[in-house]
Amino acid sequence: METSQRTVLVTGGAGYIGSHTCKALASAGYLPVVYDNLLHGHEWAVKWGPLERGDIRDGSRLAEVFTTYKPVSVLHFAGLAYVGQSVLDPGRYYEFNVAGSLALAQAMREHGAKRIVFSSTCATYGSPEKLPIGEETPQRPINPYGASKLMVERILADFRRAHGICSTALRYFNAAGADIGGELGEDHDPETHLIPLVLGAASGRRPPLAVFGTDYDTPDGTCIRDYIHVSDLAAAHVLALRALEHGTALDAYNLGTGQGYSVREVIDATARVTGLDIPFSACPRRPGDPAVLVSDATRAHQELGWWPSLSELDTIIRSAWAWHQRGSSPRG
Ligand code: UDP
């Protein structure tokens, strides 16, 4: 690969999924240049290439970074990703996720960058009537987070048609787990994701888990999600980038296991893996949460050759537990 072909701009590369993907990119021979404002990302998580601090909405800072590194490809993780917060403060979500992504797309256009892999989400589907969820399922988001990501998918599709910027959207189901080598893991502040909160409840480092809703139309009344190991997601990004390079990428791929687990089942699996009791209490539903989200990722299997290998629920929890036991950041 030539220098500019090897260099990949990774927005949000200091974050959870972004940093795991930088590791995978480096293993595949790419040089990840991380662009991150470090609001939620961590400097210690940038280990495989340079870090450029900057806000995704800042067109002039983006221009500087494009001029310096001349990347042809971009992996775009930067954005806000808390469903509950997006319901309470939608403006912030449209600002960072939509206006920020538009600034990035404009910078790509101005600087001749030709390919982008976008971090989208199953939240763009809302509460679908049919399960599992394929890519053709109508996208009708029920929270501002999902709506903001869908708007970006649309912007990128329009830029593809008008300006020839090739793009693909990876619609993640629930990212979870930690790097098996122990170099990286989930470290959000605030933490709102189920698995780290269950682990915190198990270790006593966090309060008992609040189970959001026990009256859903599911076998045990709690929400069902499709948990996918973060390193499996990272591997999918490398495959999607290669597909863009070869001109074979489709507009979107679902990334999940196709297997759903309820909140209760995650609690039980965590008790099994850790050997500890998990204190929890039943609480009201969290606004914006659909009852069941389970993927059909056949397209990613067939077109990208992507198969999750670390996403058994116990493997996910074991890796997250190993990371949790290493303590709090900064991590070396
Ligand atoms: N959840 C919960 N208690 C918590 C955090 C999450 O019961 O403290 C539930 C949440 O309602 C959802 C599932 O766990 O059904 C996964 O939530 P998470 O925030 O991890 O991911 P999301 O599905 O919102 O992307």
Side-chain angles (χ1 to χ4, degrees), residues 137-175:
T137 301
Q139 289 175 288
R140 297 192 194 104
I142 61 165
N143 53 58
Y145 167 61
S148 70
K149 290 286 184 173
L150 180 56
M151 288 176 195
V152 178
E153 286 196 13
R154 177 63 198 261
I155 289 170
L156 293 178
D158 289 342
F159 271 59
R160 188 190 313 141
R161 281 185 286 268
H163 308 304
I165 295 178
C166 304
S167 59
T168 187
L170 300 184
R171 298 182 189 145
Y172 313 151
F173 283 66
N174 285 60

mmCIF file of all heavy atoms in Angstrom, residues 137-175:
data_model
loop_
_atom_site.group_PDB
_atom_site.id
_atom_site.type_symbol
_atom_site.label_atom_id
_atom_site.label_comp_id
_atom_site.label_asym_id
_atom_site.label_seq_id
_atom_site.Cartn_x
_atom_site.Cartn_y
_atom_site.Cartn_z
ATOM 1 N N THR A 137 -35.186 -3.706 6.502
ATOM 2 C CA THR A 137 -36.213 -3.312 7.468
ATOM 3 C C THR A 137 -36.377 -1.793 7.417
ATOM 4 O O THR A 137 -35.379 -1.074 7.395
ATOM 5 C CB THR A 137 -35.757 -3.725 8.892
ATOM 6 O OG1 THR A 137 -35.558 -5.130 8.892
ATOM 7 C CG2 THR A 137 -36.769 -3.338 9.955
ATOM 8 N N PRO A 138 -37.617 -1.288 7.405
ATOM 9 C CA PRO A 138 -37.796 0.173 7.378
ATOM 10 C C PRO A 138 -37.115 0.833 8.573
ATOM 11 O O PRO A 138 -37.197 0.335 9.688
ATOM 12 C CB PRO A 138 -39.320 0.340 7.458
ATOM 13 C CG PRO A 138 -39.879 -0.958 7.011
ATOM 14 C CD PRO A 138 -38.879 -2.020 7.360
ATOM 15 N N GLN A 139 -36.435 1.933 8.303
ATOM 16 C CA GLN A 139 -35.717 2.647 9.376
ATOM 17 C C GLN A 139 -36.631 3.738 9.933
ATOM 18 O O GLN A 139 -36.843 4.765 9.285
ATOM 19 C CB GLN A 139 -34.415 3.223 8.836
ATOM 20 C CG GLN A 139 -33.382 2.143 8.532
ATOM 21 C CD GLN A 139 -32.143 2.684 7.879
ATOM 22 O OE1 GLN A 139 -32.183 3.063 6.718
ATOM 23 N NE2 GLN A 139 -31.046 2.756 8.609
ATOM 24 N N ARG A 140 -37.152 3.457 11.121
ATOM 25 C CA ARG A 140 -38.065 4.414 11.776
ATOM 26 C C ARG A 140 -37.624 4.589 13.215
ATOM 27 O O ARG A 140 -38.199 3.994 14.137
ATOM 28 C CB ARG A 140 -39.500 3.878 11.747
ATOM 29 C CG ARG A 140 -40.064 3.701 10.358
ATOM 30 C CD ARG A 140 -41.575 3.458 10.423
ATOM 31 N NE ARG A 140 -42.067 2.971 9.156
ATOM 32 C CZ ARG A 140 -42.407 1.708 8.896
ATOM 33 N NH1 ARG A 140 -42.334 0.783 9.841
ATOM 34 N NH2 ARG A 140 -42.852 1.360 7.706
ATOM 35 N N PRO A 141 -36.553 5.371 13.443
ATOM 36 C CA PRO A 141 -35.990 5.485 14.792
ATOM 37 C C PRO A 141 -36.995 6.048 15.794
ATOM 38 O O PRO A 141 -37.846 6.868 15.428
ATOM 39 C CB PRO A 141 -34.808 6.447 14.600
ATOM 40 C CG PRO A 141 -35.005 7.081 13.262
ATOM 41 C CD PRO A 141 -35.824 6.162 12.443
ATOM 42 N N ILE A 142 -36.872 5.584 17.047
ATOM 43 C CA ILE A 142 -37.788 6.080 18.086
ATOM 44 C C ILE A 142 -37.049 6.928 19.123
ATOM 45 O O ILE A 142 -37.600 7.266 20.150
ATOM 46 C CB ILE A 142 -38.533 4.916 18.797
ATOM 47 C CG1 ILE A 142 -37.544 3.964 19.497
ATOM 48 C CG2 ILE A 142 -39.437 4.168 17.837
ATOM 49 C CD1 ILE A 142 -38.208 3.039 20.501
ATOM 50 N N ASN A 143 -35.794 7.249 18.876
ATOM 51 C CA ASN A 143 -35.103 8.187 19.768
ATOM 52 C C ASN A 143 -34.159 9.057 18.937
ATOM 53 O O ASN A 143 -33.795 8.698 17.814
ATOM 54 C CB ASN A 143 -34.357 7.431 20.892
ATOM 55 C CG ASN A 143 -33.433 6.359 20.336
ATOM 56 O OD1 ASN A 143 -32.548 6.646 19.545
ATOM 57 N ND2 ASN A 143 -33.665 5.109 20.748
ATOM 58 N N PRO A 144 -33.794 10.228 19.485
ATOM 59 C CA PRO A 144 -32.965 11.163 18.702
ATOM 60 C C PRO A 144 -31.604 10.586 18.326
ATOM 61 O O PRO A 144 -31.048 10.941 17.283
ATOM 62 C CB PRO A 144 -32.814 12.370 19.637
ATOM 63 C CG PRO A 144 -34.017 12.304 20.519
ATOM 64 C CD PRO A 144 -34.286 10.838 20.736
ATOM 65 N N TYR A 145 -31.053 9.711 19.146
ATOM 66 C CA TYR A 145 -29.776 9.085 18.791
ATOM 67 C C TYR A 145 -29.911 8.342 17.453
ATOM 68 O O TYR A 145 -29.147 8.576 16.509
ATOM 69 C CB TYR A 145 -29.339 8.123 19.902
ATOM 70 C CG TYR A 145 -28.223 7.205 19.512
ATOM 71 C CD1 TYR A 145 -26.983 7.713 19.145
ATOM 72 C CD2 TYR A 145 -28.413 5.822 19.498
ATOM 73 C CE1 TYR A 145 -25.952 6.859 18.767
ATOM 74 C CE2 TYR A 145 -27.382 4.972 19.125
ATOM 75 C CZ TYR A 145 -26.164 5.492 18.760
ATOM 76 O OH TYR A 145 -25.157 4.649 18.378
ATOM 77 N N GLY A 146 -30.913 7.464 17.377
ATOM 78 C CA GLY A 146 -31.135 6.710 16.138
ATOM 79 C C GLY A 146 -31.459 7.629 14.972
ATOM 80 O O GLY A 146 -30.988 7.422 13.847
ATOM 81 N N ALA A 147 -32.251 8.662 15.245
ATOM 82 C CA ALA A 147 -32.622 9.609 14.180
ATOM 83 C C ALA A 147 -31.383 10.324 13.651
ATOM 84 O O ALA A 147 -31.220 10.509 12.437
ATOM 85 C CB ALA A 147 -33.640 10.612 14.708
ATOM 86 N N SER A 148 -30.489 10.712 14.565
ATOM 87 C CA SER A 148 -29.297 11.458 14.129
ATOM 88 C C SER A 148 -28.413 10.572 13.243
ATOM 89 O O SER A 148 -27.868 11.030 12.240
ATOM 90 C CB SER A 148 -28.518 11.984 15.340
ATOM 91 O OG SER A 148 -27.884 10.929 16.049
ATOM 92 N N LYS A 149 -28.293 9.293 13.585
ATOM 93 C CA LYS A 149 -27.455 8.392 12.789
ATOM 94 C C LYS A 149 -28.087 8.133 11.412
ATOM 95 O O LYS A 149 -27.385 8.028 10.405
ATOM 96 C CB LYS A 149 -27.246 7.074 13.539
ATOM 97 C CG LYS A 149 -26.365 7.212 14.774
ATOM 98 C CD LYS A 149 -24.911 7.381 14.396
ATOM 99 C CE LYS A 149 -23.991 7.415 15.592
ATOM 100 N NZ LYS A 149 -22.558 7.413 15.242
ATOM 101 N N LEU A 150 -29.415 8.031 11.386
ATOM 102 C CA LEU A 150 -30.101 7.825 10.108
ATOM 103 C C LEU A 150 -29.899 9.037 9.187
ATOM 104 O O LEU A 150 -29.684 8.903 7.983
ATOM 105 C CB LEU A 150 -31.587 7.568 10.353
ATOM 106 C CG LEU A 150 -32.437 7.344 9.109
ATOM 107 C CD1 LEU A 150 -31.893 6.198 8.260
ATOM 108 C CD2 LEU A 150 -33.883 7.081 9.490
ATOM 109 N N MET A 151 -29.945 10.234 9.781
ATOM 110 C CA MET A 151 -29.718 11.441 8.970
ATOM 111 C C MET A 151 -28.335 11.414 8.336
ATOM 112 O O MET A 151 -28.153 11.801 7.188
ATOM 113 C CB MET A 151 -29.866 12.690 9.842
ATOM 114 C CG MET A 151 -31.300 12.977 10.224
ATOM 115 S SD MET A 151 -31.386 14.384 11.355
ATOM 116 C CE MET A 151 -33.059 14.172 11.961
ATOM 117 N N VAL A 152 -27.351 10.932 9.085
ATOM 118 C CA VAL A 152 -25.987 10.876 8.537
ATOM 119 C C VAL A 152 -25.906 9.835 7.417
ATOM 120 O O VAL A 152 -25.256 10.066 6.395
ATOM 121 C CB VAL A 152 -24.953 10.594 9.645
ATOM 122 C CG1 VAL A 152 -23.549 10.494 9.059
ATOM 123 C CG2 VAL A 152 -25.012 11.679 10.711
ATOM 124 N N GLU A 153 -26.582 8.712 7.600
ATOM 125 C CA GLU A 153 -26.610 7.726 6.504
ATOM 126 C C GLU A 153 -27.121 8.396 5.225
ATOM 127 O O GLU A 153 -26.597 8.184 4.130
ATOM 128 C CB GLU A 153 -27.508 6.539 6.862
ATOM 129 C CG GLU A 153 -26.904 5.591 7.884
ATOM 130 C CD GLU A 153 -27.631 4.244 7.937
ATOM 131 O OE1 GLU A 153 -28.428 3.942 7.030
ATOM 132 O OE2 GLU A 153 -27.404 3.492 8.906
ATOM 133 N N ARG A 154 -28.136 9.202 5.379
ATOM 134 C CA ARG A 154 -28.731 9.879 4.223
ATOM 135 C C ARG A 154 -27.754 10.894 3.602
ATOM 136 O O ARG A 154 -27.589 10.966 2.378
ATOM 137 C CB ARG A 154 -30.028 10.560 4.675
ATOM 138 C CG ARG A 154 -30.739 11.361 3.620
ATOM 139 C CD ARG A 154 -31.184 10.452 2.478
ATOM 140 N NE ARG A 154 -31.489 11.249 1.292
ATOM 141 C CZ ARG A 154 -32.719 11.597 0.941
ATOM 142 N NH1 ARG A 154 -33.763 11.213 1.650
ATOM 143 N NH2 ARG A 154 -32.930 12.321 -0.139
ATOM 144 N N ILE A 155 -27.097 11.660 4.473
ATOM 145 C CA ILE A 155 -26.111 12.645 3.988
ATOM 146 C C ILE A 155 -25.020 11.926 3.183
ATOM 147 O O ILE A 155 -24.651 12.352 2.091
ATOM 148 C CB ILE A 155 -25.485 13.414 5.183
ATOM 149 C CG1 ILE A 155 -26.521 14.358 5.806
ATOM 150 C CG2 ILE A 155 -24.231 14.187 4.746
ATOM 151 C CD1 ILE A 155 -26.072 14.985 7.130
ATOM 152 N N LEU A 156 -24.530 10.818 3.718
ATOM 153 C CA LEU A 156 -23.441 10.109 3.040
ATOM 154 C C LEU A 156 -23.919 9.500 1.723
ATOM 155 O O LEU A 156 -23.177 9.484 0.735
ATOM 156 C CB LEU A 156 -22.837 9.045 3.959
ATOM 157 C CG LEU A 156 -22.095 9.608 5.179
ATOM 158 C CD1 LEU A 156 -21.574 8.477 6.062
ATOM 159 C CD2 LEU A 156 -20.933 10.520 4.764
ATOM 160 N N ALA A 157 -25.158 9.029 1.681
ATOM 161 C CA ALA A 157 -25.703 8.497 0.420
ATOM 162 C C ALA A 157 -25.788 9.616 -0.620
ATOM 163 O O ALA A 157 -25.460 9.429 -1.800
ATOM 164 C CB ALA A 157 -27.075 7.878 0.666
ATOM 165 N N ASP A 158 -26.184 10.800 -0.191
ATOM 166 C CA ASP A 158 -26.264 11.934 -1.121
ATOM 167 C C ASP A 158 -24.871 12.357 -1.601
ATOM 168 O O ASP A 158 -24.687 12.684 -2.777
ATOM 169 C CB ASP A 158 -26.967 13.127 -0.445
ATOM 170 C CG ASP A 158 -28.460 12.869 -0.255
ATOM 171 O OD1 ASP A 158 -29.002 11.968 -0.928
ATOM 172 O OD2 ASP A 158 -29.083 13.553 0.580
ATOM 173 N N PHE A 159 -23.881 12.323 -0.695
ATOM 174 C CA PHE A 159 -22.501 12.677 -1.084
ATOM 175 C C PHE A 159 -21.930 11.617 -2.035
ATOM 176 O O PHE A 159 -21.118 11.923 -2.892
ATOM 177 C CB PHE A 159 -21.603 12.839 0.156
ATOM 178 C CG PHE A 159 -21.609 14.241 0.715
ATOM 179 C CD1 PHE A 159 -22.778 14.841 1.144
ATOM 180 C CD2 PHE A 159 -20.426 14.977 0.797
ATOM 181 C CE1 PHE A 159 -22.780 16.135 1.653
ATOM 182 C CE2 PHE A 159 -20.416 16.269 1.299
ATOM 183 C CZ PHE A 159 -21.593 16.851 1.730
ATOM 184 N N ARG A 160 -22.366 10.382 -1.851
ATOM 185 C CA ARG A 160 -21.903 9.313 -2.750
ATOM 186 C C ARG A 160 -22.390 9.610 -4.170
ATOM 187 O O ARG A 160 -21.613 9.598 -5.123
ATOM 188 C CB ARG A 160 -22.471 7.975 -2.260
ATOM 189 C CG ARG A 160 -21.921 6.757 -2.975
ATOM 190 C CD ARG A 160 -22.722 5.497 -2.597
ATOM 191 N NE ARG A 160 -22.931 5.404 -1.151
ATOM 192 C CZ ARG A 160 -24.062 4.978 -0.579
ATOM 193 N NH1 ARG A 160 -25.095 4.614 -1.313
ATOM 194 N NH2 ARG A 160 -24.169 4.917 0.733
ATOM 195 N N ARG A 161 -23.677 9.912 -4.272
ATOM 196 C CA ARG A 161 -24.248 10.174 -5.601
ATOM 197 C C ARG A 161 -23.687 11.446 -6.220
ATOM 198 O O ARG A 161 -23.347 11.496 -7.391
ATOM 199 C CB ARG A 161 -25.773 10.267 -5.497
ATOM 200 C CG ARG A 161 -26.440 8.899 -5.420
ATOM 201 C CD ARG A 161 -27.949 9.031 -5.441
ATOM 202 N NE ARG A 161 -28.443 9.522 -4.150
ATOM 203 C CZ ARG A 161 -28.833 8.725 -3.157
ATOM 204 N NH1 ARG A 161 -28.797 7.426 -3.306
ATOM 205 N NH2 ARG A 161 -29.264 9.235 -2.022
ATOM 206 N N ALA A 162 -23.580 12.512 -5.408
ATOM 207 C CA ALA A 162 -23.196 13.816 -5.970
ATOM 208 C C ALA A 162 -21.688 13.957 -6.155
ATOM 209 O O ALA A 162 -21.250 14.575 -7.117
ATOM 210 C CB ALA A 162 -23.718 14.934 -5.058
ATOM 211 N N HIS A 163 -20.912 13.402 -5.212
ATOM 212 C CA HIS A 163 -19.476 13.710 -5.216
ATOM 213 C C HIS A 163 -18.590 12.469 -5.331
ATOM 214 O O HIS A 163 -17.365 12.585 -5.252
ATOM 215 C CB HIS A 163 -19.093 14.456 -3.922
ATOM 216 C CG HIS A 163 -19.962 15.645 -3.656
ATOM 217 N ND1 HIS A 163 -20.112 16.664 -4.570
ATOM 218 C CD2 HIS A 163 -20.734 15.968 -2.590
ATOM 219 C CE1 HIS A 163 -20.951 17.571 -4.067
ATOM 220 N NE2 HIS A 163 -21.346 17.168 -2.879
ATOM 221 N N GLY A 164 -19.206 11.310 -5.473
ATOM 222 C CA GLY A 164 -18.405 10.085 -5.657
ATOM 223 C C GLY A 164 -17.644 9.649 -4.421
ATOM 224 O O GLY A 164 -16.670 8.912 -4.532
ATOM 225 N N ILE A 165 -18.065 10.111 -3.250
ATOM 226 C CA ILE A 165 -17.423 9.621 -2.012
ATOM 227 C C ILE A 165 -18.097 8.298 -1.647
ATOM 228 O O ILE A 165 -19.291 8.266 -1.345
ATOM 229 C CB ILE A 165 -17.558 10.653 -0.867
ATOM 230 C CG1 ILE A 165 -16.779 11.923 -1.230
ATOM 231 C CG2 ILE A 165 -17.067 10.053 0.456
ATOM 232 C CD1 ILE A 165 -16.884 13.033 -0.196
ATOM 233 N N CYS A 166 -17.328 7.213 -1.708
ATOM 234 C CA CYS A 166 -17.900 5.885 -1.444
ATOM 235 C C CYS A 166 -18.086 5.709 0.054
ATOM 236 O O CYS A 166 -17.175 6.026 0.827
ATOM 237 C CB CYS A 166 -16.980 4.788 -1.955
ATOM 238 S SG CYS A 166 -16.628 4.978 -3.691
ATOM 239 N N SER A 167 -19.221 5.197 0.435
ATOM 240 C CA SER A 167 -19.475 5.055 1.872
ATOM 241 C C SER A 167 -20.210 3.770 2.153
ATOM 242 O O SER A 167 -20.920 3.224 1.295
ATOM 243 C CB SER A 167 -20.309 6.233 2.387
ATOM 244 O OG SER A 167 -21.537 6.296 1.692
ATOM 245 N N THR A 168 -20.016 3.301 3.371
ATOM 246 C CA THR A 168 -20.842 2.202 3.851
ATOM 247 C C THR A 168 -21.155 2.462 5.315
ATOM 248 O O THR A 168 -20.323 3.016 6.043
ATOM 249 C CB THR A 168 -20.165 0.835 3.640
ATOM 250 O OG1 THR A 168 -21.105 -0.194 3.989
ATOM 251 C CG2 THR A 168 -18.907 0.658 4.472
ATOM 252 N N ALA A 169 -22.364 2.112 5.724
ATOM 253 C CA ALA A 169 -22.781 2.309 7.117
ATOM 254 C C ALA A 169 -22.798 0.953 7.803
ATOM 255 O O ALA A 169 -23.413 0.010 7.304
ATOM 256 C CB ALA A 169 -24.174 2.938 7.157
ATOM 257 N N LEU A 170 -22.114 0.861 8.925
ATOM 258 C CA LEU A 170 -22.146 -0.372 9.710
ATOM 259 C C LEU A 170 -23.123 -0.153 10.858
ATOM 260 O O LEU A 170 -22.914 0.726 11.696
ATOM 261 C CB LEU A 170 -20.743 -0.706 10.227
ATOM 262 C CG LEU A 170 -19.690 -0.907 9.127
ATOM 263 C CD1 LEU A 170 -18.356 -1.332 9.731
ATOM 264 C CD2 LEU A 170 -20.149 -1.912 8.077
ATOM 265 N N ARG A 171 -24.199 -0.907 10.825
ATOM 266 C CA ARG A 171 -25.242 -0.730 11.857
ATOM 267 C C ARG A 171 -24.981 -1.727 12.982
ATOM 268 O O ARG A 171 -25.322 -2.909 12.871
ATOM 269 C CB ARG A 171 -26.620 -0.921 11.237
ATOM 270 C CG ARG A 171 -26.898 0.119 10.164
ATOM 271 C CD ARG A 171 -28.282 -0.020 9.561
ATOM 272 N NE ARG A 171 -28.414 0.852 8.403
ATOM 273 C CZ ARG A 171 -29.115 0.560 7.302
ATOM 274 N NH1 ARG A 171 -29.751 -0.605 7.209
ATOM 275 N NH2 ARG A 171 -29.178 1.413 6.294
ATOM 276 N N TYR A 172 -24.362 -1.192 14.037
ATOM 277 C CA TYR A 172 -23.996 -2.055 15.151
ATOM 278 C C TYR A 172 -25.221 -2.390 15.976
ATOM 279 O O TYR A 172 -26.060 -1.527 16.236
ATOM 280 C CB TYR A 172 -23.049 -1.360 16.144
ATOM 281 C CG TYR A 172 -21.870 -0.630 15.597
ATOM 282 C CD1 TYR A 172 -21.371 0.455 16.303
ATOM 283 C CD2 TYR A 172 -21.232 -1.013 14.428
ATOM 284 C CE1 TYR A 172 -20.266 1.151 15.866
ATOM 285 C CE2 TYR A 172 -20.121 -0.323 13.986
ATOM 286 C CZ TYR A 172 -19.647 0.765 14.698
ATOM 287 O OH TYR A 172 -18.555 1.457 14.269
ATOM 288 N N PHE A 173 -25.233 -3.617 16.500
ATOM 289 C CA PHE A 173 -26.160 -3.934 17.571
ATOM 290 C C PHE A 173 -25.416 -3.575 18.865
ATOM 291 O O PHE A 173 -24.796 -2.517 18.898
ATOM 292 C CB PHE A 173 -26.693 -5.362 17.387
ATOM 293 C CG PHE A 173 -27.755 -5.352 16.292
ATOM 294 C CD1 PHE A 173 -27.398 -5.050 14.969
ATOM 295 C CD2 PHE A 173 -29.093 -5.527 16.589
ATOM 296 C CE1 PHE A 173 -28.372 -4.941 13.962
ATOM 297 C CE2 PHE A 173 -30.069 -5.445 15.589
ATOM 298 C CZ PHE A 173 -29.711 -5.153 14.290
ATOM 299 N N ASN A 174 -25.456 -4.337 19.938
ATOM 300 C CA ASN A 174 -24.888 -3.827 21.201
ATOM 301 C C ASN A 174 -23.420 -4.208 21.379
ATOM 302 O O ASN A 174 -23.122 -5.357 21.709
ATOM 303 C CB ASN A 174 -25.724 -4.314 22.382
ATOM 304 C CG ASN A 174 -27.026 -3.553 22.482
ATOM 305 O OD1 ASN A 174 -27.839 -3.581 21.557
ATOM 306 N ND2 ASN A 174 -27.219 -2.837 23.573
ATOM 307 N N ALA A 175 -22.545 -3.245 21.184
ATOM 308 C CA ALA A 175 -21.106 -3.473 21.351
ATOM 309 C C ALA A 175 -20.810 -3.758 22.823
ATOM 310 O O ALA A 175 -21.332 -3.081 23.718
ATOM 311 C CB ALA A 175 -20.330 -2.244 20.908
#
